[in-house]
Amino acid sequence: MLSLTVILLFPTVGKLKSEVIHTTNGRGHSCVLHYMRIAILVCVWLVTFSSPCFSQQITEDHCGICKGKRHLEGSPYRFDLKGEIPFIAASAVSLGAGFVAQGFNNTQPYTAEELETLDIQSINAFDRNAVYNSSEAAKQASDIMIASLTIFPILLVSEHHTKQDLGPLLAMSLETMAVTFGLTNLIKNTVNRTRPNVYNPDTPFDERTSSTSRQSFISGHTSHAAAASFFMAKVISDYHPDMTTGAKIALWSVSAYIPALTGYFRVKAGKHFTTDVMAGYAVGAFTGWLIPHLHKKKADSMLGKLNLQLYPSTAGMQFSLRVGL
C-alpha cells in the first residue's frame, strides 16, 4: 500500500505543465481540480503511512515500518518546563523580531509612474523568466497545499508510539512554526524584494500595487510547508530509529516533495522568483529539522549548558543567554 501510493503521486508532476497551459484556454477550474488531487494524494499517503491499520499493529512492540517488525524504543525527546525555556524564548524573539520589522517597514508599493520605470533586465537571468508567469489556478493550488498541512496533527494521533506524547509534540510543532513565521516575516520586511508579477504589465494594477507586492523574498508558503513537512518526517524518524530503508526513503521523499510542489506553484503563479522559494525551502526545512533535533535526549547535555535569564531594566525587558563550554 505504501509503495502504491507513492507511485500514484509522482507521475502527476509530468502533467503540471500542460495543465497550467490549459488555464489560458478557460480550463482553469479543471487545473485546480488536478492540483487538489495531488494535495489529496499526499495527505492520503501520509495518513496511510501512520495509520495503525497499515503500519502498526495493536500490540505496543509490533511495528510495520521498523526492522524486524518490532518497536523497542521509547520517546526520543525530553519534555520539561526548564528545557522548554530556550525554545519558548527563541519563538518569542523570532516572532517579535518579525513583527518589529513589519512595523518599522516603510517601504511603499510602487506608484503608476514608478511601475513604468521597472526594468526586467535588472533581474538576474536565473529568475527573470518568472516575470511572465501568471496562473490563478497555481495560486489557489499553493493555498490548498498549505491548508492540507493541517492534517499533520492527525498523524501524531493515529501513530500509537507518538500519540502518548501528543501534547508536547504539538507544543514543539508550535515552536517550529513560530520560529519559521518570525524568520520569514523578518526577512520579507527587511529585503523588500519586488514580486515578479509586478514587473509584468499584464498583471492587474491593484495586484501590482498591493501591500505585499514588495515582499517576494522569501516565500512564506514554501517556508511553512517545508517546516511542517520536515518536522513531521523528523519526528517519525526519531520515534523509529530502526525504520526500514524503504520506509525511510518514502517518508523523506514525500516530505521533500510537498514544499517543492508548493514552491513550484508559487513560481508558476508569478508570486515568487525561483530563488525566493529556494530560500524559503531552506529556512523552513532547517527549522523543521532543528527544533525536534534539539529536543532529543541525546542533546540534553547541550541544553543543560544553556542559561537564559529575563529581567526588567530602565530600557525595558532584557534577556541574557549564556552557553557553558
Side-chain angles (χ1 to χ4, degrees):
M1 182 65 182
L2 178 64
S3 59
L4 175 60
T5 309
V6 174
I7 291 172
L8 288 174
L9 186 65
F10 283 89
T12 59
V13 178
K15 300 180 181 179
L16 290 177
K17 184 175 181 180
S18 60
E19 290 290 346
V20 171
I21 295 175
H22 289 329
T23 61
T24 60
N25 298 325
R27 296 178 60 183
H29 181 66
S30 62
C31 185
V32 171
L33 292 178
H34 179 67
Y35 293 152
M36 290 178 66
R37 184 179 66 178
I38 295 175
I40 291 172
L41 284 173
V42 171
C43 295
V44 167
W45 184 91
L46 288 170
V47 172
T48 301
F49 182 82
S50 292
S51 173
C53 297
F54 291 96
S55 63
Q56 303 289 346
Q57 301 293 330
I58 298 177
T59 57
E60 287 296 321
D61 63 343
H62 191 281
C63 182
I65 60 176
C66 286
K67 297 176 182 178
K69 304 300 181 182
R70 293 181 64 83
H71 185 94
L72 303 177
E73 301 290 335
S75 174
Y77 302 122
R78 187 190 76 170
F79 300 110
D80 58 72
L81 181 58
K82 180 181 178 181
E84 288 303 298
I85 291 178
F87 298 102
I88 296 174
S91 301
V93 170
S94 178
L95 287 173
F99 285 127
V100 168
Q102 183 177 2
F104 282 92
N105 187 4
N106 296 320
T107 303
Q108 298 296 319
Y110 291 114
T111 64
E113 293 75 15
E114 290 173 332
L115 289 176
E116 296 294 330
T117 64
L118 292 179
D119 183 13
I120 297 178
Q121 297 302 316
S122 64
I123 305 171
N124 67 80
F126 182 73
D127 282 330
R128 195 172 300 151
N129 287 337
V131 170
Y132 305 103
N133 291 337
S134 179
S135 173
E136 181 63 26
K139 177 181 177 297
Q140 293 179 24
S142 66
D143 293 337
I144 292 171
M145 292 297 295
I146 289 295
S148 68
L149 297 180
T150 58
I151 200 173
F152 277 6
I154 298 177
L155 306 184
L156 300 178
V157 177
S158 64
E159 216 287 328
H160 74 269
H161 297 304
T162 57
K163 67 180 180 181
Q164 60 185 355
D165 296 326
L166 180 61
L169 287 175
L170 289 178
M172 194 163 66
S173 68
L174 288 176
E175 293 165 356
T176 300
M177 300 314 292
V179 172
T180 302
F181 178 84
L183 290 176
T184 300
N185 204 22
L186 173 64
I187 298 172
K188 278 181 174 289
N189 288 279
T190 302
V191 177
N192 295 309
R193 188 183 193 184
T194 303
R195 294 187 185 273
N197 60 359
V198 176
Y199 290 89
N200 189 345
D202 295 329
T203 302
F205 180 77
D206 59 342
E207 190 171 347
R208 299 178 75 191
T209 57
S210 69
S211 59
T212 61
S213 61
R214 301 182 69 178
Q215 293 185 355
S216 186
F217 188 88
I218 57 176
S219 170
H221 278 67
T222 309
S223 66
H224 288 86
S229 298
F230 276 73
F231 171 85
M232 188 57 59
K234 175 65 173 170
V235 168
I236 295 177
S237 296
D238 287 344
Y239 271 89
H240 300 85
D242 293 327
M243 185 185 301
T244 62
T245 302
K248 188 177 297 185
I249 292 175
L251 172 64
W252 284 101
S253 294
V254 173
S255 298
Y257 172 77
I258 293 174
L261 183 61
T262 303
Y264 172 84
F265 289 150
R266 298 303 286 172
V267 173
K268 281 297 180 182
K271 290 294 186 179
H272 289 286
F273 295 103
T274 302
T275 50
D276 297 337
V277 300
M278 291 173 64
Y281 193 113
V283 169
F286 180 70
T287 305
W289 175 88
L290 181 64
I291 299 297
H293 182 73
L294 292 179
H295 275 84
K296 293 188 70 173
K297 292 177 179 178
K298 293 181 179 180
D300 281 356
S301 57
M302 182 181 67
L303 291 177
K305 297 178 182 178
L306 297 180
N307 180 17
L308 178 69
Q309 295 181 345
L310 296 171
Y311 52 89
S313 68
T314 56
M317 293 295 297
Q318 295 185 4
F319 73 92
S320 65
L321 179 63
R322 298 178 180 179
V323 180
L325 299 176

